[in-house]
Amino acid sequence: MSNLVEGATGPWEVVVGLEIHAQVTAQSKLFSGAATEFGAEPNSQVSLVDAGMPGMLPVINERAVEQAVRSGLGLNAKINTYSVFDRKNYFYADLPQGYQISQYLQPIVGEGIVSVDLEDGGSTDIGIERLHLEQDAGKLIHDQHPRKSHVDLNRSGLALMEIVSKPDIRSAAEAGAYVRKVRAILRYLGTCDGNMEQGSMRADVNVSVRRPGEDLGTRAEVKNVNSIRFMQQAIHFETTRQIDILEAGGSIVQETRKFDAQTGTTRPMRDKEEANDYRYFPDPDLLPLEFSDDFVEKIRLTLPELPDAKKRRYMDDLGLSDHDAAVLVSDRDIALFYEAVADGRDAKIAANWVQGELFAQLARAEREVADSPITAAQLGGLIDLIGDNTISGKIAKDVLEIMFETGRDAAVIVADKGLKQVTDTGAIEAEVDTVIAANPDKVAEFQGGKDKILGWFVGQIMQATKGKANPQLVNQLLRDKLKP
Ligand code: MN
C-alpha cells in the first residue's frame, strides 16, 4: 500500500510526528495537592503552587510518577529510573509561574513502540521517542466579558504526560489509527481517560513533505488539536499547502500554526521557537527523580492484558476473526462488555451480537457501550433464549430493539408479547398443509426443479405464524411435504 501523494510534478511523501498531551488520571496535581476534577467552579482547585505564589515549593505526586511508568510500560518503552525536572521559561497569562516544570534532556520514559492496525488489515509500528511529565497551564476565557479576558487556573499544574512519536507516520489515516491506539492503551492502563472533548488528550501535529527517499523536509507544527478528525483535516490541509509552495519553487517556513475548526485550515501563529529560546535548566526546587527497578517491576505486575495481547487471545483461543477481534479490543469498555457476554457462551455468537446488533443500536442512539441501556448480562440472556430455541434469531433482533428502548429483560419481553417460538410440529404442520393446498402452481414449480421457491413457502409460513415458527422445523416439514 502506498501513502504517496501525487503532486503536479510527481509524488510526495507525507511525514507526520505527533506530540500527544495526555492528562494523568490522578486525584491531585503533579506538584500540589489541589483537586483535578473536570468542570469545577473556575479557580476552585488552585493551590499556592498552581497560582505561582512566591516562595511556593513543588512536591512531586508519587501517583503521577507511577502512572507515567505504567504508561511507559504499556507503550513498550524504556523506563528511566533517573530523570530530571526542568524549568521551561516563557511568559503567558495562563502561566503564573513564568515557567512550566517539564522534563527536557532526561525524561522519565525513553524509546518505545506502538503497533497500529491499518484500514487494509495490515499493521505498522510507530516509534515512541519519549514520554515526559510536565505541568499543564491554566485556561484563558475570552467569552465572559466584552473587553476583558478571565483566567481559570483549575488546570494549572495538572500532571500531563507528553508522548512524543518519532516521525514514522505517513498519512492522516495512520495518524488517526496511532492516536486511537495510544488512547486505547492509556485507557486500558487507567492512566488517562482519553477524553478529547474535555481536553484530557490533545495533540501537536508536526507535518512535512518530501520526495520519496529524500531527507526530512522542513516541518510546520499545528498546535493543540483536540479531536482525531481535526488532526486529520490539519494533516490534509498542511500536505496540500506545503506541496503547493514547494512545487511553485518556494520553501517551507518552520513555524507554529493554529488549526481553525470552522474552515478546516491552519494559519501561522508564531515563528517556531528553538529549544534554547526557553532557557531550560534543572528546577532547583526539585531533586532529580530516582526510583528503583523494583518500583518498576511492581508496577509491571499490575498491568492489565493490553489490546495487542487481548486481540491475539481472541483470535487464537476464541477463534474470532482478525476484524472482530480488532473491533472488540479497540476500547477497554467494549472488551469488558464482550467478555461478560461471552462468559459461558459461544464466543463467536457473542461477538456477532455485540458488534453487530448492539453496536448498530448504540450508533443509532449515539451512545457508547459504557452507557448501553442493555447490560452485558441482559444481552447474554437474549442469546440464551436463542440457544434453547425459545425464540428465533430473527425474533431476537426485534426483542433486542425493545430491550434497547425499555431496558427490560429479554425473557420478560418474550413472555409479555407472546413471542415464544412455535416448536409444536402439529401446529406448524397445519400451516404448511394450508399453504401447500392453496398454491398448487408453486408446488408444481418446486417439483419442476425450481428450488428457490422453497424460500417463498418459508416466508408464507413465517408470516402466518408472525415469525414464531421454528425455522428449522418449517424447512424440514416443507421439504418432506413438497417431495413429489
Ligand atoms: Mn508539552
Side-chain angles (χ1 to χ4, degrees), residues 19-21 88 100 102 132 134-135 160 162 204 223:
E19 296 162 24
I20 296 175
H21 284 91
K88 180 181 183 181
Q100 175 192 36
S102 181
H132 67 251
E134 63 183 25
Q135 298 173 301
L160 299 179
E162 181 172 329
D204 300 340
K223 289 302 262 189

Side-chain angles (χ1 to χ4, degrees), residues 46 268 287:
V46 185
L287 289 167

Side-chain angles (χ1 to χ4, degrees), residues 290-347:
E290 265 188 286
F291 44 79
S292 63
D293 290 331
D294 196 43
F295 177 78
V296 179
E297 290 317 307
K298 278 196 179 120
I299 294 171
R300 194 192 300 276
L301 288 176
T302 68
L303 294 186
E305 183 182 39
L306 290 169
D308 291 343
K310 208 180 260 303
K311 183 180 169 197
R312 225 169 300 126
R313 180 167 67 81
Y314 283 6
M315 292 171 69
D316 294 349
D317 297 357
L318 304 182
L320 300 192
S321 69
D322 185 283
H323 171 81
D324 287 3
V327 171
L328 293 170
V329 306
S330 64
D331 179 83
R332 179 171 169 269
D333 289 339
I334 295 173
L336 291 179
F337 190 97
Y338 165 67
E339 286 175 18
V341 176
D343 188 22
R345 301 189 178 89
D346 184 285

Side-chain angles (χ1 to χ4, degrees), residues 164-375:
V164 182
S165 84
K166 293 183 183 287
D168 287 349
I169 299 164
R170 291 290 172 272
S171 68
E174 277 187 26
Y178 167 77
V179 173
R180 274 192 287 272
K181 187 60 175 283
V182 169
R183 183 174 59 182
I185 292 170
L186 300 182
R187 283 169 51 94
Y188 270 79
L189 293 166
T191 57
C192 169
D193 66 23
N195 192 329
M196 297 184 93
E197 296 81 53
Q198 296 184 355
S200 8
M201 235 180 112
R202 46 197 202 265
D204 300 340
V205 188
N206 291 283
V207 185
S208 63
V209 298
R210 66 178 173 191
R211 294 293 188 189
E214 284 187 357
D215 291 342
L216 288 176
T218 305
R219 66 192 160 92
E221 177 176 4
V222 186
K223 289 302 262 189
N224 255 328
V225 187
N226 65 357
S227 89
I228 290 175
R229 191 164 58 87
F230 291 164
M231 188 182 74
Q232 293 181 321
Q233 283 178 352
I235 294 171
H236 285 306
F237 180 82
E238 275 303 304
T239 302
T240 309
R241 184 184 72 86
Q242 294 182 20
I243 290 175
D244 286 352
I245 290 173
L246 293 170
E247 293 198 327
S251 55
I252 305 300
V253 182
Q254 181 168 341
E255 64 188 354
T256 301
R257 299 177 69 90
K258 192 179 166 59
F259 179 71
D260 181 342
Q262 301 295 320
T263 57
T265 61
T266 71
R267 59 188 149 80
M269 234 165 101
R270 53 174 190 252
D271 288 351
K272 174 66 189 171
E273 318 71 10
E274 296 295 329
N276 59 19
D277 292 334
Y278 290 116
R279 298 287 185 272
Y280 278 102
F281 65 89
D283 191 309
D285 287 339
L286 290 158
L287 289 167
L289 179 61
E290 265 188 286
F291 44 79
S292 63
D293 290 331
D294 196 43
F295 177 78
V296 179
E297 290 317 307
K298 278 196 179 120
I299 294 171
R300 194 192 300 276
L301 288 176
T302 68
L303 294 186
E305 183 182 39
L306 290 169
D308 291 343
K310 208 180 260 303
K311 183 180 169 197
R312 225 169 300 126
R313 180 167 67 81
Y314 283 6
M315 292 171 69
D316 294 349
D317 297 357
L318 304 182
L320 300 192
S321 69
D322 185 283
H323 171 81
D324 287 3
V327 171
L328 293 170
V329 306
S330 64
D331 179 83
R332 179 171 169 269
D333 289 339
I334 295 173
L336 291 179
F337 190 97
Y338 165 67
E339 286 175 18
V341 176
D343 188 22
R345 301 189 178 89
D346 184 285
K348 284 192 209 180
I349 292 174
N352 288 341
W353 278 93
V354 171
Q355 60 129 344
E357 298 303 318
L358 179 68
F359 273 22
Q361 294 289 333
L362 287 170
R364 221 168 36 84
E366 293 181 9
R367 285 183 167 212
E368 300 292 329
V369 78
D371 46 46
S372 165
I374 302 179
T375 65

Side-chain angles (χ1 to χ4, degrees), residues 1 14 60 87 132 137 152 246 265 356 398 411 423 432 470 479:
M1 191 189 68
V14 185
I60 185 79
R87 289 188 180 180
H132 67 251
D152 176 6
L246 293 170
T265 61
D398 300 337
T423 48
V432 170
N470 178 310
R479 283 191 183 282

Side-chain angles (χ1 to χ4, degrees), residues 430-443 456-457 460:
E431 295 293 348
V432 170
D433 289 339
T434 312
V435 174
I436 286 178
N439 296 283
D441 49 333
K442 293 273 195 305
V443 174
W456 180 86
F457 278 105
Q460 293 299 303

